[in-house]
């Protein structure tokens, strides 16, 4: 901007300088011409007076008297006087001897005087060797030209006057240039300073610094421009603020969506991807933004339906399988978005993880099959033995008693199965409120073990209880007892004769208590550990039926522990035993199952 100011100032000074120079030339030339015109007019008047004197005294033929007379006139007017006859022969001259002078008939002023009655010229005098102004008038007597009187004067003074004028004009021009330079500097500064401020603010605005304002009191068009830019900055600041707020809202919405969202441009490049999509597909958006969609969707088949949507513009819904980073079943919904002219500008891809839904559907199907199977087994036994009794076995008291004992056991098993199913249903549907109270966990373990002590004795299994620590927790006494009962029963059932079951209890930290139930049983193969809390899932189905298990015990335990805001995990080694670790909080946040 400083360079612009200097350039603008130089242009102003140059224009003013050229104008002053042209004006000076014009006035100098006009003054010179005016001075010469006045001088010519004076010389013509004097030449006419001299010509009248020559004619009146009949001096044309009296050369000696004429010569003397001309010298007196020359001294009076300060000019050279030359008189010629009508043929141009010099008969008198105040500067030289007439006899030495050549014929003057070819002189332009004399020719003009003979032709028009008056002549003048400015030219260099070879005789005097400087520029002269010549005027000539004819000597007329009764219409006959007898000769010519020429008066000449040096124009050195005129030239000196013009030179002095040029010196004066030069001085004035320099002063005027200095004055106008100062004035133009002030003017250009008053013009460029607001422009500099406008430029500075405009550059800041281009860098998204919308809080900058132009502070100037200048009026006129530049002031209006500054005001308009300030209004524009305010408007842009408001609009950018609104855009940023909307972007944050959109980003917040997208990143908090459980569904994945990907935006693909018409050039098939990834424009946007939210956190859910990153998690589902196993890619980080920052590494693939602007890349082709094939880089993230080729392996799952997503790219094929994206291309189809871009080509046809139709809405597409398909299930795709993703195997990295985890196996997922994804419900992909695609729709094209268009501009005002209906041209397809990209595709919006919504990804819903339906893995859990499909797993639940599978579990529901398996649950129905398992329930049907589990119910059918005792019912079939009851029906079979009942029919046998009705067919005549009642008459044999030993067989009848044996069959009735089996029918009773199967009825108990059926009752346990139905009870467990109902309990599990209530727990899952959160219809089983907890009756929270303070529980001495040491005493509750002893009471529970007493219930199943006979089962352990039947298999000669030793049960080791925890040392008394009087650990108090909040919880539903019946539900916690059910947890202990199920876990200890499982340990007894899957531990061979002469085995051991050890129960330990300790404070985990100030907020929770840890209970471990370890056995020396057959253990659980590693591939089954992740599924043992599923309903009706059995590692050894034959042994489960022999032990009278329903396959719902551990599922109920898991739900009851969750309802107490606790955790359970399993450690097991085949042939060496299993350890269930239960972590329960000392205090309950609320009194209801969740």
């Amino acid at each position: 901007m400083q360079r612009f100011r200097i350039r603008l100032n130089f242009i102003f000074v140059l224009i003013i300088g050229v104008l002053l120079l042209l004006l000076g030339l014009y006035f100098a030339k006009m003054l010179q011409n005016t001075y010469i015109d006045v001088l010519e007019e004076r010389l013509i008047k004097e030449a006419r007076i001299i010509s009248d004197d020559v004619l009146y005294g009949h001096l044309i033929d009296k050369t000696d008297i004429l010569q003397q007379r001309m010298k007196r006139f020359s001294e009076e007017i300060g000019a050279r006087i030359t008189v010629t006859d009508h043929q141009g022969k010099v008969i008198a001259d105040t500067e030289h001897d007439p006899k030495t002078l050549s014929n003057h008939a070819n002189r332009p002023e004399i020719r003009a005087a003979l032709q028009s009655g008056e002549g003048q010229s400015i030219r260099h005098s070879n005789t005097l060797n400087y520029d002269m102004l010549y005027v000539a008038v004819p000597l007329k007597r009764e219409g006959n030209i007898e000769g010519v009187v020429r008066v000449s004067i040096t124009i050195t003074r005129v030239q000196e006057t013009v030179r002095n004028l040029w010196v004066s004009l030069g001085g004035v021009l320099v002063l005027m240039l200095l004055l106008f330079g100062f004035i133009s500097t002030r003017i250009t500064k008053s013009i460029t300073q607001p422009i500099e401020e406008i430029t500075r603010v405009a550059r800041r605005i281009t860098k998204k610094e919308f809080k900058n304002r132009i502070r100037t009191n200048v009026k006129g068009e530049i002031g209006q421009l500054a005001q308009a830019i300030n209004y524009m900055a305010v408007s842009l600041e408001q609009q950018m603020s609104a855009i940023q707020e909307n972007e944050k809202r959109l980003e917040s919405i997208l990143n908090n969506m459980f569904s994945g969202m990907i935006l693909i441009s018409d050039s098939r490049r990834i424009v946007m991807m939210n956190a859910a999509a990153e998690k589902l597909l196993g890619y980080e958006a920052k590494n693939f933004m602007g890349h082709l969609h094939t880089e993230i969707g080729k392996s799952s088949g997503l790219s094929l339906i994206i291309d189809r949507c871009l080509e046809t513009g139709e809405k597409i819904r398909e299930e795709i399988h993703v195997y990295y980073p985890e196996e997922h079943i994804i419900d992909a919904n695609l729709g094209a978005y268009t501009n005002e002219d209906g041209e397809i500008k990209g595709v919006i891809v919504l990804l819903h993880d339906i893995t859990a839904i499909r797993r639940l559907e599978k579990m529901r199907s398996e649950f129905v099959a398992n329930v049907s199977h589990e119910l059918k087994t005792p019912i079939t036994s009851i029906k079979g033995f009942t029919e046998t009794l009705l067919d005549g076995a009642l008459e044999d008291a030993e067989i009848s008693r044996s069959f009735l004992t089996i029918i009773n056991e199967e009825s108990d098993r059926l009752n346990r199965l139905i009870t467990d199913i109902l309990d599990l249903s209530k727990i899952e549907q959160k219809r089983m409120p907890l009756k929270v109270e303070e529980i001495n966990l040491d005493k509750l373990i002893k009471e529970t073990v007493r219930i199943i002590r006979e089962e352990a004795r039947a298999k000669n299994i030793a049960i080791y209880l925890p040392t008394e620590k009087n650990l108090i927790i909040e919880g539903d006494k019946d539900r916690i007892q059910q947890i202990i009962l199920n876990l200890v029963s499982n340990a007894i059932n899957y531990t061979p004769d002469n085995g051991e079951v050890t129960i330990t209890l300790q404070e985990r930290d100030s907020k929770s208590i840890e209970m471990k139930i370890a056995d020396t049983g057959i253990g659980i193969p590693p591939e089954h550990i992740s599924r043992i809390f599923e309903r009706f899932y059995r590692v050894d189905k034959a042994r489960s039926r022999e032990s009278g298990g329903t396959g719902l015990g551990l599922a109920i335990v898991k739900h009851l522990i969750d309802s107490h805001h606790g955790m359970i995990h399993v450690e097991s080694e085949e042939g060496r035993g299993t350890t269930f670790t239960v972590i329960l909080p000392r205090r309950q946040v609320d009194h209801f199952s969740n």
Side-chain angles (χ1 to χ4, degrees), residues 23 36 69 86 125 133 146 220 224 237 251 298 346 462:
L23 195 62
I36 291 173
R69 186 74 173 169
H86 66 283
S125 173
L133 170 63
E146 295 182 357
Q224 292 175 4
E237 184 180 6
E251 185 179 357
K298 190 173 182 180

Side-chain angles (χ1 to χ4, degrees), residues 37 49 58-59 91 116 118 195 352 359 396 462 475 503 508 585:
D37 288 344
I49 292 171
H58 298 281
L59 300 176
I91 56 177
S116 60
E118 189 177 288
I195 294 175
H352 305 287
R359 186 178 292 123
D396 189 332
I503 304 172
R508 182 180 175 86

Side-chain angles (χ1 to χ4, degrees), residues 345-397:
K345 303 304 292 181
V347 170
I348 299 172
V349 182
L350 289 177
L351 305 174
H352 305 287
D353 187 2
I354 58 172
T355 309
I357 295 172
R358 292 290 180 263
R359 186 178 292 123
L360 286 173
E361 288 176 353
K362 183 179 179 182
M363 287 174 63
R364 187 181 296 113
S365 177
E366 289 177 353
F367 178 73
V368 171
N370 285 330
V371 167
S372 300
H373 180 72
E374 295 296 333
L375 290 174
K376 186 177 180 181
T377 302
I379 290 172
T380 302
S381 297
I382 293 169
K383 184 176 176 56
F385 286 110
T386 303
E387 288 177 350
T388 303
L389 290 172
L390 291 173
D391 287 341
L394 279 171
E395 296 175 0
D396 189 332

Side-chain angles (χ1 to χ4, degrees), residues 94-356:
T94 58
E95 298 289 338
H96 296 279
D97 185 1
K99 294 178 182 178
T100 62
L101 297 174
S102 62
N103 191 290
H104 282 27
N106 61 342
R107 301 293 193 271
E109 65 276 3
I110 291 176
R111 287 202 311 268
L114 293 173
Q115 291 174 2
S116 60
E118 189 177 288
Q120 61 273 343
S121 68
I122 297 174
R123 54 189 172 80
H124 185 77
S125 173
N126 295 324
T127 306
L128 300 177
N129 198 28
Y130 46 75
D131 292 340
M132 300 286 289
L133 170 63
Y134 298 94
V135 296
V137 294
L139 294 170
K140 278 189 179 182
R141 188 190 300 277
E142 297 177 355
N144 295 321
I145 297 175
E146 295 182 357
V148 176
V149 175
R150 186 184 73 175
V151 180
S152 60
I153 189 171
T154 179
I155 60 171
T156 305
R157 283 182 292 175
V158 176
Q159 292 172 338
E160 288 178 357
T161 302
V162 172
R163 278 196 296 272
N164 292 335
L165 178 63
W166 276 114
V167 172
S168 300
L169 282 173
V172 171
L173 181 62
V174 171
L175 290 174
M176 292 295 288
L177 281 175
L178 291 174
L179 177 62
F180 280 116
F182 174 74
I183 294 171
S184 68
T185 300
R186 301 291 296 179
I187 293 172
T188 53
K189 187 176 180 181
S190 67
I191 294 172
T192 58
Q193 209 166 30
I195 294 175
E196 287 177 7
E197 181 71 6
I198 290 170
T199 304
R200 182 186 66 80
V201 173
R203 284 176 178 168
R204 292 293 182 88
I205 290 173
T206 60
K207 295 177 181 178
K208 298 183 180 180
E209 298 177 12
F210 301 110
K211 293 189 180 296
N212 285 270
R213 299 289 183 271
I214 299 169
R215 294 173 177 84
T216 180
N217 296 322
V218 70
K219 306 295 181 183
E221 287 77 6
I222 293 178
Q224 292 175 4
L225 175 62
Q227 193 174 16
I229 290 178
N230 282 340
Y231 287 148
M232 180 187 72
V234 171
S235 177
L236 283 173
E237 184 180 6
Q238 292 173 348
Q239 291 178 24
M240 289 304 296
S241 177
I243 290 171
Q244 287 172 357
E245 187 175 350
N246 288 334
E247 283 181 349
K248 287 180 180 177
R249 286 176 183 171
L250 179 61
E251 185 179 357
S252 179
I253 290 169
L254 290 175
N255 287 331
N256 285 287
M257 286 174 60
F258 289 103
S259 299
M261 196 284 292
I262 305 173
L263 186 63
I264 308 295
S265 69
D266 55 350
S267 60
R268 288 173 166 74
R269 297 188 178 274
I270 300 166
V271 177
M272 187 182 296
M273 182 190 294
N274 70 349
E278 291 180 359
K279 186 176 180 181
L280 283 174
L281 299 177
Y283 298 99
E284 290 188 14
K286 63 181 181 180
N287 297 330
F288 289 89
M289 206 62 65
H291 290 223
L292 293 172
H293 64 79
T294 52
E295 295 185 36
I296 64 169
K298 190 173 182 180
S299 61
S300 61
L302 183 59
S303 292
L304 293 175
I305 53 178
I306 289 174
D307 287 333
R308 178 153 51 105
C309 188
L310 278 169
E311 291 169 4
T312 63
E314 64 178 321
K315 290 184 178 180
I316 300 174
R317 181 176 183 179
E318 286 190 13
E319 284 188 13
I320 60 173
H321 289 259
V322 176
Y323 299 95
Y324 175 84
E326 296 177 359
E327 185 177 357
H328 290 287
I329 303 172
I330 297 175
D331 180 27
N333 294 265
L334 289 80
Y337 64 92
T338 60
N339 60 11
E340 294 177 355
D341 300 325
E343 297 173 344
I344 297 173
K345 303 304 292 181
V347 170
I348 299 172
V349 182
L350 289 177
L351 305 174
H352 305 287
D353 187 2
I354 58 172
T355 309

Side-chain angles (χ1 to χ4, degrees), residues 542-557:
R543 178 155 187 172
S544 294
R545 286 204 179 88
E546 288 173 6
S547 64
T550 61
L552 296 174
L554 288 179
I556 292 173
V557 166

Side-chain angles (χ1 to χ4, degrees), residues 27-40:
F27 279 113
K29 191 66 176 176
M30 184 178 69
L31 184 61
Q32 182 180 359
N33 292 338
T34 301
Y35 189 82
I36 291 173
D37 288 344
V38 170
L39 191 59
E40 283 181 355

